[in-house]
Amino acid sequence: AQASRVASSAGSSMRELQLARAEAMRCCAALLFLLCPGLAGAAEAPSSISGVSGKRFSGEVIREVAKEELSFAGIRRSDLKAMREEKQCERWIVVTSIFQPSPATRKLGEMTQQGWCYVVVADKNGPPDYDDVEGVVYLTVERQRALHFQIMNHLPWRHFGRKNVGFLYAIAHGAKIIYDTDDDNRLREARIPILGYSEQWEPLGAAVNISRPRVEETQGQSLVIQPGLLNPYPSFRPTCGHIWPRGFPLDYVQKPFTFNMTLEAAKLDRPPAVQQFLADEDPDVDAIFRLTRPLPCSFEGLPEGSPELMAVPPKFFTPYNAQATVHLYEAFWGLLLPVTVHGRVSDIWRAYLAQKLLWDIGQVISFAPAHVVHDRVAHDYLKDFQSEQDLQLKSTAMVSFLATWTSDAPTLVERIEQLWAALYSRGFVELGDVKLAQAWIRDLLSVGYEFPELEVGKIMWDKSEL
């Protein structure tokens, strides 16, 4: 009996010890969970399951941000200083270049002494700086990456379309006039004459005198029913015989009803929104002309006694370029250069599209006597010929389509988007240009640009007694 009582007491002590040990283990497990939940969970996990054990984070490299995705890589202190001291001007010169400064770009620098601002857009294969050009704002690759414009995601490097950055930069910094030019089109003198503006570039606020082709002579000979084509070059009395602008439909180069029309003096109620200067010595012509005709060639101007500028009437298409062209504020929306075509096609497609929509806001384009000399660098004309294939093969189709395209959209913004989409659907550009045009519109709105109202059929032509 005594032995039984001893055994019972010992069993009770053992159970108490086991319960105390179990309680201690539960407390340790709870403490472990609170202090290190990952380790506690791993301790409880069955050893037969792999891949769930925790490990210390090493912080070693597992991925990289591509350099082109970095917005401020390589930015210099001088760039940051320039951003803090950005200029505001109403008159801007815009150039893109991959070359060292030229006589043409240095001449443009002289215009900064007359109140013009001047921006040069760099590219990856261009010089790192442009310091020896007077007054220039040089948008380096690094500075461009730091810009907030939505178009930046749609612009390829090593393309003429980088110039779009310069246009937006100028508009965002107060532009009311933009001189769109190139690094090899040299001003004859430090002066940019603009019809409808004084020598100090103040708007005159009055009707302007222009020469106007008597297009009534061509009715019935037009390209598609009503709209037609106009080659302005022969009217300016070229020294090299018959000549046509780059991008003019080749089917119509020799058609007499497209050139040498009778000119009459007339008035416009406001200045043409786009004013193209001709270029002497090596005018803007296509590779076919350069391969088959002698150069240099210059222009003697319109016939004596005629107003110096020739305005192109509505419903008559003519290509203009990005080499020596003034754009007034109400035409800024039409500055966009497409980037899914070659640079030698880009400004011509832009011209045809913009011209079609300019008529919807009561505006036209004009051509002015040669005010620049084209110091063209050496080109391989056969390579140019290949680059211009879209112009040679598609220009007639482009103008034929635009001549019949209509829209009942109530705003210019919607018509711009519609027309870029229509050009894509017909194979003139790729989808990237539709996306670019949408980003361009958003950027213009974000910098405060006011799109013109539609004024269909309100272009005022008055016969002049000049």
Side-chain angles (χ1 to χ4, degrees), residues 66-73 96-98 120-127 138-147 149 151-166 338-343 436:
K67 185 175 181 181
E68 57 268 20
E69 297 296 325
L70 297 173
S71 295
F72 302 98
T96 187
S97 182
I98 60 172
V120 174
V121 184
D123 210 330
K124 284 187 174 181
N125 50 341
Y138 189 50
L139 293 183
T140 62
V141 171
E142 293 75 23
R143 286 188 68 177
Q144 291 179 56
R145 284 176 173 154
L147 294 172
F149 301 138
I151 64 167
M152 305 305 292
N153 296 324
H154 303 277
L155 295 176
W157 294 101
R158 295 180 172 86
H159 192 283
F160 183 61
R162 298 303 304 181
K163 203 175 197 181
N164 291 319
V165 181
V339 296
T340 65
V341 294
H342 194 279
L436 174 62

Side-chain angles (χ1 to χ4, degrees), residues 204-226:
L204 297 176
V208 294
N209 298 318
I210 51 90
S211 292
R212 175 183 183 270
R214 191 175 294 162
V215 294
E216 292 80 4
E217 299 172 356
T218 70
Q219 295 305 315
Q221 312 257 4
S222 55
L223 185 63
V224 178
I225 307 175
Q226 287 293 326

Side-chain angles (χ1 to χ4, degrees), residues 60-65:
E60 294 177 356
V61 174
I62 60 171
R63 57 196 175 197
E64 297 278 1
V65 176

Side-chain angles (χ1 to χ4, degrees), residues 64-366:
E64 297 278 1
V65 176
K67 185 175 181 181
E68 57 268 20
E69 297 296 325
L70 297 173
S71 295
F72 302 98
I75 199 162
R76 299 171 296 183
R77 283 179 293 178
S78 59
D79 291 333
L80 295 172
K81 181 181 178 183
M83 290 178 186
R84 292 194 302 269
E85 301 173 354
E86 288 180 336
K87 300 176 180 179
Q88 292 282 333
C89 293
E90 292 192 351
R91 301 181 301 279
W92 279 85
I93 298 165
V94 179
V95 173
T96 187
S97 182
I98 60 172
F99 299 111
Q100 293 291 337
S102 64
T105 56
R106 289 192 177 91
K107 190 73 174 178
L108 290 168
E110 296 179 22
M111 296 303 299
T112 61
Q113 299 177 6
Q114 303 180 34
W116 286 78
C117 283
Y118 177 22
V119 59
V120 174
V121 184
D123 210 330
K124 284 187 174 181
N125 50 341
D129 56 57
Y130 230 68
D131 291 343
D132 60 342
V133 176
E134 186 174 4
V136 71
V137 175
Y138 189 50
L139 293 183
T140 62
V141 171
E142 293 75 23
R143 286 188 68 177
Q144 291 179 56
R145 284 176 173 154
L147 294 172
H148 66 277
F149 301 138
Q150 294 191 33
I151 64 167
M152 305 305 292
N153 296 324
H154 303 277
L155 295 176
W157 294 101
R158 295 180 172 86
H159 192 283
F160 183 61
R162 298 303 304 181
K163 203 175 197 181
N164 291 319
V165 181
F167 296 144
L168 265 182
Y169 184 90
I171 296 167
H173 290 82
K176 296 293 186 288
I177 297 172
I178 290 178
Y179 179 50
D180 178 14
T181 187
D182 218 342
D183 58 5
D184 56 1
N185 280 262
R186 174 171 44 87
L187 292 171
R188 291 186 180 278
E189 55 183 313
R191 179 173 162 266
I192 302 174
I194 303 174
L195 183 65
Y197 288 75
S198 69
E199 288 294 319
Q200 290 72 41
W201 297 285
E202 295 294 332
L204 297 176
V208 294
N209 298 318
I210 51 90
S211 292
R212 175 183 183 270
R214 191 175 294 162
V215 294
E216 292 80 4
E217 299 172 356
T218 70
Q219 295 305 315
Q221 312 257 4
S222 55
L223 185 63
V224 178
I225 307 175
Q226 287 293 326
L229 284 162
L230 175 64
N231 173 4
Y233 281 14
S235 296
F236 285 85
R237 297 182 296 171
T239 60
C240 54
H242 188 57
I243 185 174
W244 59 92
R246 173 172 55 94
F248 196 83
L250 294 177
D251 308 42
Y252 292 85
V253 162
Q254 299 291 347
K255 301 293 185 183
F257 58 82
T258 65
F259 60 90
N260 277 343
M261 299 181 188
T262 303
L263 298 179
E264 59 187 12
K267 288 181 181 291
L268 281 174
D269 63 344
R270 63 188 193 268
V274 177
Q275 302 179 24
Q276 166 83 73
F277 293 115
L278 300 185
D280 276 343
E281 295 192 16
D282 196 344
D284 186 30
V285 292
D286 57 29
I288 293 175
F289 185 95
R290 290 192 170 100
L291 285 165
T292 59
R293 308 293 175 97
L295 290 171
C297 183
S298 296
F299 296 95
E300 297 178 349
L302 296 178
E304 189 173 348
S306 301
E308 285 191 341
L309 273 73
M310 181 174 74
V312 180
K315 300 185 179 180
F316 280 78
F317 290 96
T318 190
Y320 60 86
N321 60 43
Q323 297 178 5
T325 308
V326 170
H327 298 254
L328 303 185
Y329 184 85
E330 59 183 324
F332 282 0
W333 53 268
L335 282 162
L336 181 66
L337 292 162
V339 296
T340 65
V341 294
H342 194 279
R344 294 195 60 74
V345 177
S346 181
D347 57 341
I348 303 303
W349 274 188
R350 172 186 80 170
Y352 282 136
L353 178 146
Q355 203 165 170
K356 173 69 175 181
L357 294 177
L358 279 169
W359 302 335
D360 289 353
I361 62 170
Q363 265 294 359
V364 294
I365 69 167
S366 65

Side-chain angles (χ1 to χ4, degrees), residues 395-449:
S395 288
T396 299
M398 166 72 85
V399 179
S400 297
F401 159 64
L402 290 175
T404 58
W405 183 84
T406 59
S407 172
D408 59 0
T411 65
L412 178 62
V413 166
E414 187 176 357
R415 293 188 184 193
I416 293 170
E417 182 183 44
Q418 286 178 345
L419 194 45
W420 279 109
L423 293 183
Y424 162 70
S425 67
R426 287 159 178 78
F428 294 106
V429 298
E430 299 303 317
L431 186 60
D433 280 321
V434 179
K435 301 295 185 183
L436 174 62
Q438 292 168 332
W440 169 259
I441 291 170
R442 288 192 291 268
D443 281 332
L444 287 175
L445 292 170
S446 70
V447 300
Y449 177 71

